[in-house]
Amino acid sequence: MNPSPLRDHDRSPLLSMAIAAERDVFSLRRHAKTIADAVGLDARDQVRLATALSELGRDLLRPAPMTATFTLKRRPAVLYVVLRWADGRTPNGESLAAVTRLLPQTLYQPPGPPGRRPATTAAARDGWIEISCPVPAAPATDLDHVRALLAADSPASAIDDLQAQTRDLMAALQEAHAQRDELERLNEELTETNAGVMALYAELTVEHKDVVERFGEEHQLALTLQRTFLPASLPDSAGLELAVRYLPATSETEIGGDFYEAVHTPHGLLLAVGDVVGHSLQAAAVMGELRHALRAYAAQGHLPHILLQHLDHLLRLHHPGWTATVCLVVVEPGNGRIHIANAGHLPPLLVSADGTARYLDEHGPLLGLELRHPTATTVTVAPGDRLLMITDGLIETRNQDLCQRLESLRAATADGPAEPEALCDTLLRAFATEPEDDIIVFAARLHPTDTPHASS
């Protein structure tokens, strides 16, 4: 059990506020940026803290109030934010995982069962989440000045924030118009699919009056839509064997945003696996847009990390507040080298012909956060090497440590079949028992060709 927050008497209070409506979530995000800037957090940590609190605020929002408390510890300098609630609400696992990836110092204590303790210790049964952000240096601003800045915030500034986002969106749309013609052909496929879905939805609404039956039909329709966004087949590439498996979650209420792609580019064959954070029909639609945009940008000959920058810009432009993870691998002509760019996704696994397996841990930030993406990493590969890319549904469970599951996957892949089709089937049998999330397993085996290395 995690220790209860707010017991450290060295912490100085800055702000305590109730969260009971959506406007409070906007205020929480605004106050978080004001405080983080005043105490000296850098711009990236300010964005991470504001994004994390916005995600948790929306996820945990109920009519019953929740409190958010900001405190500052001087030595060492740490900014603490605690969300506390008295009822039985719990955060969505996806939201909590996304926040933990952004801010690893996050602690979570679920609410205790009612009736187990005397009323005088009711606070001990509260649920809470504590986020701690180390401050690089002792804050130069005195606390009274920070409180004065908070007091000066206008209650209407949440609306101002939305208006500012709208103005930014309109300006960015002017840039998007320049790329519209290039994306138009690919968007026609998406438009036709959406038109068919809307027609089927209208027919279901008229013909099916029973709510439960209609829900089941709509769920199957959403799954069908999700599958239409995925490639119909894998491309042929000299000296490269490919295999992929897509397995939807067993839950009847969850529609995920997992996707994969394989497409030829001027630099070689691009392999991609990604996951839009969240479970809804909209998450599946965002996934489809990202996949189509990836194909369009790849056709322009961009390097992998530049592709991620374009996708990040597109996501912030059209779907502000959404985030996604994407891992890109470009296999050069000749199959002697690969280039990896990873935006917050699980690392790809490289297995040599002798059975040695290692994760390629090069990492960058999630898409949608407007953070810099590092240059792609180049890795030399040998004949017979295998590459494995997955989404987190294959290994993430509620009751097992992620690092242990990654190690189990590494061992199973190293000992598994060398042939990609057989390897995918073996891993699904070993790990995909009643999956709680969508699963993608993408495997490749590389053989050398006479084609020279492409220029990087």
Side-chain angles (χ1 to χ4, degrees), residues 147-407:
R147 298 183 186 110
L149 290 175
L150 294 171
D153 275 350
S154 169
S157 58
I159 298 177
D160 294 338
D161 287 342
L162 288 176
Q163 292 175 338
Q165 289 181 12
T166 302
R167 289 193 296 269
D168 292 342
L169 176 60
M170 295 302 296
L173 282 175
Q174 295 178 359
E175 177 184 347
H177 285 315
Q179 303 172 359
R180 180 180 58 190
D181 292 340
E182 191 169 353
L183 293 172
E184 186 174 5
R185 182 181 61 83
L186 292 172
N187 283 337
E188 286 177 358
E189 176 187 343
L190 181 60
T191 301
E192 291 174 1
T193 301
N194 286 339
V197 169
M198 295 306 297
L200 288 173
Y201 182 86
E203 181 181 349
L204 287 171
T205 303
V206 172
E207 295 181 356
H208 299 279
K209 300 299 183 182
D210 183 83
V211 175
V212 175
E213 182 176 340
R214 185 171 68 241
F215 173 81
E217 294 286 341
E218 291 174 354
H219 179 79
Q220 291 303 317
L221 177 62
L223 286 176
T224 301
L225 170 63
Q226 184 182 14
R227 292 188 183 94
T228 64
F229 290 143
L230 300 176
S233 61
L234 297 175
D236 292 329
S237 184
L240 197 62
E241 300 175 66
L242 298 177
V244 68
R245 296 291 185 272
Y246 167 74
L247 187 65
T250 56
S251 170
E252 289 296 318
T253 60
E254 299 293 327
I255 302 297
D258 292 23
F259 71 96
Y260 64 92
E261 186 56 88
V263 61
H264 289 286
T265 76
H267 297 286
L269 183 66
L270 171 68
L271 308 179
V273 172
D275 183 4
V276 175
V277 177
H279 292 85
S280 65
L281 185 57
Q282 186 177 359
V286 172
M287 171 269 286
E289 292 185 32
L290 284 180
R291 181 205 158 215
H292 286 301
L294 175 62
R295 291 177 65 89
Y297 291 137
Q300 297 175 348
H302 296 300
L303 294 174
H305 61 284
I306 303 299
L307 291 175
L308 293 181
Q309 291 177 10
H310 285 317
L311 293 179
D312 179 81
H313 176 75
L314 187 70
L315 189 61
R316 289 183 287 107
L317 178 68
H318 294 293
H319 301 284
W322 284 81
T323 57
T325 67
V326 178
C327 182
L328 303 180
V329 175
V330 173
V331 182
E332 284 191 0
N335 304 332
R337 294 192 304 181
I338 59 177
H339 305 271
I340 305 150
N342 194 340
H345 200 77
L346 291 174
L349 181 63
L350 183 65
V351 185
S352 64
D354 63 5
T356 303
R358 63 186 178 97
Y359 286 104
L360 306 177
D361 292 322
E362 293 77 7
H363 238 259
L366 282 73
L367 300 183
L369 300 181
E370 199 174 2
L371 300 175
R372 178 183 174 275
H373 291 273
T375 304
T377 300
T378 301
V379 176
T380 301
V381 293
D385 282 1
R386 291 171 286 158
L387 185 71
L388 180 71
M389 304 166 71
I390 66 168
T391 55
D392 54 13
L394 182 68
I395 58 172
E396 283 195 354
T397 61
R398 298 179 185 273
N399 56 1
Q400 287 185 283
D401 179 72
L402 178 60
C403 293
Q404 294 178 351
R405 294 283 286 178
L406 283 170
E407 175 58 26

Side-chain angles (χ1 to χ4, degrees), residues 5-88:
L6 299 179
R7 290 183 176 176
D8 192 334
H9 298 296
D10 293 335
R11 301 186 192 180
S12 300
L14 295 174
L15 174 69
S16 182
M17 61 182 294
I19 311 294
E22 188 171 0
R23 64 178 179 274
D24 299 328
V25 178
F26 283 109
S27 297
L28 176 63
R29 180 186 179 96
R30 186 178 69 255
H31 291 329
K33 292 191 72 173
T34 298
I35 293 174
D37 180 53
V39 302
L41 288 181
D42 62 30
R44 185 169 65 175
D45 286 340
Q46 292 176 32
V47 172
R48 288 184 173 182
L49 178 61
T51 301
L53 291 176
S54 179
E55 173 70 17
L56 291 173
R58 290 197 304 267
D59 182 29
L60 292 167
L61 189 62
R62 303 289 190 279
M66 168 178 61
T67 60
T69 304
F70 292 78
T71 57
L72 179 67
K73 185 176 180 180
R74 288 285 190 174
R75 293 184 181 83
V78 181
L79 175 64
Y80 293 92
V81 188
V82 176
L83 300 177
R84 184 187 289 274
W85 59 94
D87 54 22

